[in-house]
Every structure is written in C-alpha cells, then in structure tokens.
C-alpha cells in the first residue's frame, strides 16, 4: 500500500493530538490493510479529507452458450488490453470518468452508521468483485466512525461528508471531517507494523 500525507494548507496546525482519540487505532489498522493507496489532506476550507483507493479487476459475465463463451474470451482480451493501458497512465486520473459516483452527508452520530452501509449498497449492481465490495464497505464504515470520534469535542450535528467514485479498475472513497488535523502517517506506520494478516471475507463475516 502506498501512503501519502498531502499538502497541509495551514502550516501552524498542531499534529500532535493523535493519541487523544483512543478508538482510532483499530479503524486505521483495518483501513491501511484494505487500501492500495491511502492519503490524508488538510484542505483549504479547513477540513480533513481521507482518501482510500482500492484497485480491482472487473468482474466478467459467465455465459454458457458457445457464442457467449466467444464473447467472454473477447471481453477478457479487451479488459487485459485496457488494464495494460491503465497501468501506464494511473497517474493521470483526470482522463478517467467514473462509472458511478455517490455522495452522502451525515451528522456525527453513531446511530447513522447503518445508513452508511445502506448507502454503499447502491454499488452492488456494478461489476465489482464481491470481496472488494465488502472490503470497501468495511473501509467506509471504519473511516466514518473515525471521523465521528474526531468530532468528539464538537456538536453532534457537525457534518461528515462521504463520496465514493467507482472506475473501471478502482474505487476511490473520500471522507471529510472538521476535526483538528492528526499525525496520520505515524499512526498508519505503527498500525501497519503491528498488523499480522490482511483482512478477508472470513473476517468480514464475523464483523457484519
């Protein structure tokens, strides 16, 4: 996984308060194991944006007829060629249009976590591998819960904004909060060093 702390637009911010949020650790551990790329940005409007990126290979249909099998082979070749092209141009994301983009704003209330799950389920009709979809559900929920704890000294109606964009080969999850900027890189490094095995479907079955 690649991790980046993106530009802090307010250089005088205090990044030393990570340990004041005791419940943040397990969420960061889960998210860092799920994400292929992870970044944390303090934006110009004084919010924090957590970006979680997960790559995947599109799911192919399973036709049973001879014509269908031929189409599947053609589709496989086309996807292979497409992925090969994407590998050389992943840095230029502006050229890619999402298959679907969804947004949500909720208050900082643990009772709204179920709404986050329902919201992510809109993506079930897309050609996503089941395991990738479930892992992204988990990453989104954990990121949302972390944002709630980040707002622990703020009014309960402080908004948390979420956005998910699904592309042909990746999912991008963004979560914005209004809390004090955190020393995110050091926490990720600590949690990664303590992690034993990546999360998979077995772990998810126990969590949902």
């Amino acid at each position: 996984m690649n991790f980046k702390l993106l530009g802090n637009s307010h250089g005088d911010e205090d990044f030393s308060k990570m340990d004041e949020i005791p419940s943040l650790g397990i969420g960061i551990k889960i998210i860092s194991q799920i994400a292929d790329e992870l970044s944390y940005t303090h934006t110009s409007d004084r919010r924090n944006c957590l970006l979680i990126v997960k790559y995947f290979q599109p799911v192919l249909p399973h036709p049973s007829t001879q014509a269908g099998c031929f189409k599947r082979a053609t589709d496989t070749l086309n996807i292979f060629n497409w992925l090969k092209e994407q590998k050389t141009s992943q840095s230029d994301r502006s050229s890619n249009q999402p298959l679907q983009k969804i947004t949500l704003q909720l208050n900082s209330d643990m009772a709204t976590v179920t709404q986050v799950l329902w919201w992510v389920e809109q993506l079930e009709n897309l050609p996503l591998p089941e395991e990738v979809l479930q892992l992204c559900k988990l990453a989104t929920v954990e990121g949302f819960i972390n944002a709630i704890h980040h707002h622990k000294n703020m009014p309960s109606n402080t908004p948390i904004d979420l956005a998910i964009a699904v592309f042909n080969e990746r999912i991008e999850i963004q979560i914005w909060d209004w809390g004090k900027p955190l020393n995110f890189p050091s926490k990720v490094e600590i949690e990664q060093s303590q992690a034993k095995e990546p999360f998979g479907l077995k772990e998810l079955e126990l969590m949902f």
Side-chain angles (χ1 to χ4, degrees):
M1 182 202 70
N2 296 322
F3 177 83
K4 297 181 288 183
L5 176 65
L6 301 183
N8 171 25
S9 58
H10 300 280
D12 58 344
E13 297 286 358
D14 179 7
F15 285 83
S16 63
K17 304 300 184 181
M18 174 65 77
D19 292 335
E20 292 184 3
I21 307 178
S23 58
L24 190 62
I26 184 62
I28 295 302
K29 179 183 291 186
I30 293 173
I31 293 170
S32 66
Q33 290 187 34
I34 291 173
D36 294 317
E37 295 180 14
L38 188 62
S39 66
Y40 181 77
T41 311
H42 188 52
T43 63
S44 59
D45 60 357
R46 304 187 72 84
R47 293 190 298 171
N48 308 295
C49 180
L50 176 65
L51 172 63
I52 305 163
V53 181
K54 183 68 177 177
Y55 288 93
F56 64 90
Q57 183 169 336
V59 176
L60 293 172
H62 297 281
S64 57
T65 64
Q66 184 174 359
C69 291
F70 177 77
K71 184 179 184 301
R72 183 184 178 192
T74 302
D75 289 342
T76 301
L77 180 60
N78 290 337
I79 288 176
F80 176 80
N81 291 333
W82 186 89
L83 290 173
K84 186 177 180 181
E85 292 174 0
Q86 289 300 310
K87 188 175 181 180
T88 62
S89 61
Q90 284 181 0
S91 59
D92 185 16
R93 291 183 176 171
S94 62
S95 63
N96 297 330
Q97 294 297 320
L99 300 173
Q100 186 170 340
K101 184 173 183 178
I102 57 176
T103 60
L104 179 68
Q105 184 180 87
L106 294 171
N107 291 337
S108 303
D109 184 349
M110 288 294 292
T112 63
V113 171
T114 303
Q115 294 183 45
V116 176
L117 282 172
W118 291 340
W119 172 68
V120 179
E121 286 177 358
Q122 297 178 64
L123 306 177
E124 291 182 346
N125 63 329
L126 297 177
L128 299 172
E130 178 65 20
E131 183 173 3
V132 170
L133 178 61
Q134 296 303 324
L135 289 174
C136 286
K137 283 184 182 180
L138 180 57
T140 304
V141 168
E142 291 296 332
F144 179 71
I145 292 173
N146 282 344
I148 291 176
H149 289 298
H150 202 180
H151 289 169
K152 68 175 184 176
N153 296 321
M154 304 175 74
S156 60
N157 63 350
T158 302
I160 298 171
D161 291 281
L162 304 96
I164 299 179
V166 180
F167 298 81
N168 282 314
E169 90 297 353
R170 72 181 186 278
I171 297 178
E172 295 184 1
I173 304 166
Q174 292 177 294
I175 302 171
W176 289 269
D177 69 72
W178 293 91
K180 198 174 186 67
L182 303 174
N183 187 6
F184 206 79
S186 65
K187 190 64 178 177
V188 170
E189 290 175 4
I190 292 172
E191 296 302 336
Q192 283 182 326
S193 66
Q194 295 175 350
K196 295 180 181 180
E197 297 292 340
F199 285 85
L201 286 178
K202 290 183 179 180
E203 290 77 5
L204 287 171
E205 289 172 359
L206 296 175
M207 291 182 172
F208 285 97

